Amino acid sequence: MADKRILIVEDERIIAEDIKRTLSNFGYIVPAIISAGEIAVKEIDEHKPDLILMDIMLEGKMTGIEAASIIKENYRLPIIYLTAYANENTLQSAKITEPFGYIIKPFEERELHATIEMAFYRYKIENALQKKTIQQQQLLESAKHLTSSLDVTEVLTQIGKGAKDILNSYSCAIYLLNEDSNLLEPVVAIDPEYEKEILSTKLNLDNSFTGKAVRNKKSFIFNHTAIDSTGLNIPGTAEQEDEHVIVAPFCNEDKVLGAMCLSRIGNIFTEEDLTLADAFATYASAALKNAQNHRQLVNEIEERQLAENKLHETQFRLTTIFTNVPNIVIYEKYGGKSFISENVKDLLGYSPQKFLEMDLRFADIVHPKDREFIKNKFDAWFKEGKEDFLTLWYRL
């Protein structure tokens, strides 16, 4: 209470001084007494009040209601009206500015004290609700952007920036789990000074704050990092006495993909922050999984395309070679597809398409005197693992 500053805007000097004395007795600070609405609006920045006691009728052309409306729009400060006029029209005009209370003159000290305390409490609750609403809006906005990209690095960067802003942190690092070891690989670091140090340091699951969250598949708050032996300081970074850490793992279908670690200096992380980090990690996990699936699909398509290109290159090369050799037929099976050279029509009497549709045996198309030679050749290829690339030779 002792640090609360209350500005008195009252044109009756005796009443104003009496209010100042009462407020001082309750432990409040009164930075000034102002008698006109115009002056009150002008001197808000100078006096920096936490609450204003505003008389409705003031000196000058501006009423207390008009002054309160301007202050509310520009500063969002709690205002309590002081008035000797309790008529309905006055109250209706005052309601538009959404005051935090009314005090009808004359009033008792206990009434003044109770009204002020209730105003401070309401102001605190409204600020907390507004902060939560803003955070939720930021969370939803960030979640919307997370699904706009399928690039893993871009998604992780968006996650880091969004989490850092929403949770008011000075640093955010994101790690992906290396499934072949107990290490967490740093992939994104948003830090004003130590980005390189963070990106060059892998974390062990057994001796880091982030590792503990990954092991337990659960978010954690570490508000006493200076004395907490769970985690180690990253080499090359400064040790902060009042550093606080929050870690949220990225889980998808009970599988941990990675985690984000946020650091804050000064203000500790709260359970509300933890809930918010969990919600953000849920959105982020889905976006990250989508990006990883997309990358895997792209890799598979590229590998298949390479195989297709290799097959086409081989077919073109061999077709070119054997087109000018009339007494040789090439038959090739690669990647589940079959190919036969065009001269099969002249040598065997079947079109290439008909030949591929027929269930022909080896003995049906190979001259008896060549069977043993070719069979031995095939056997050697099979032992070398070349069963997906077969060539049959037919010699007249």
Side-chain angles (χ1 to χ4, degrees), residues 38-55:
E38 296 89 342
I39 299 176
V41 170
K42 184 179 178 180
E43 296 185 358
I44 290 293
D45 288 326
E46 177 183 348
H47 300 301
K48 295 180 173 55
D50 298 301
L51 181 144
I52 299 173
L53 291 176
M54 178 78 72
D55 191 7

Side-chain angles (χ1 to χ4, degrees), residues 342 344-352 354-355 358 360 365:
E342 292 290 336
V344 69
K345 175 70 174 178
D346 296 330
L347 293 175
L348 300 179
Y350 303 107
S351 68
K354 183 66 175 178
F355 181 88
M358 298 172 65
L360 295 177
I365 61 174

Side-chain angles (χ1 to χ4, degrees), residues 162-169 246 260 262 264 269 273 276-277:
K164 178 177 174 293
D165 292 341
I166 291 173
L167 290 167
N168 193 29
S169 305
I246 191 169
M260 66 176 178
L262 298 120
R264 179 189 288 174
F269 284 110
D273 293 327
L276 195 60

Side-chain angles (χ1 to χ4, degrees), residues 322 325-330 341-350 365 392-396:
F322 290 108
V325 183
N327 63 341
I328 295 179
V329 172
I330 179 171
S341 57
E342 292 290 336
N343 59 347
V344 69
K345 175 70 174 178
D346 296 330
L347 293 175
L348 300 179
Y350 303 107
I365 61 174
L392 298 181
W393 300 71
Y394 181 84
R395 293 188 293 185
L396 295 176

Side-chain angles (χ1 to χ4, degrees), residues 313-344:
E313 289 174 3
T314 302
Q315 290 176 347
F316 177 78
R317 177 175 54 84
L318 293 175
T319 298
T320 302
I321 293 173
F322 290 108
T323 295
N324 298 315
V325 183
N327 63 341
I328 295 179
V329 172
I330 179 171
Y331 171 70
E332 171 181 307
K333 184 177 182 181
Y334 184 84
K337 294 186 176 182
S338 298
F339 166 80
I340 189 145
S341 57
E342 292 290 336
N343 59 347
V344 69

Side-chain angles (χ1 to χ4, degrees), residues 146 152-164 171-177 184-191 195 198-203 210 214 234 246-250 257-263 280-281 284-285 288 292:
L146 289 181
V152 174
T153 302
E154 184 177 341
V155 168
L156 293 176
T157 301
Q158 290 177 354
I159 290 171
K161 290 180 178 178
K164 178 177 174 293
S171 175
C172 178
I174 293 182
Y175 300 84
L176 291 183
L177 180 61
L184 288 162
E185 302 274 357
V187 289
V188 171
I190 304 173
D191 188 284
E195 181 176 328
I198 294 173
L199 290 176
S200 63
T201 305
K202 298 178 181 179
L203 299 183
T210 308
V214 170
I234 292 178
I246 191 169
V247 181
F250 300 150
L257 306 176
M260 66 176 178
C261 177
L262 298 120
S263 300
F280 195 91
S285 299
L288 178 57
Q292 289 180 331

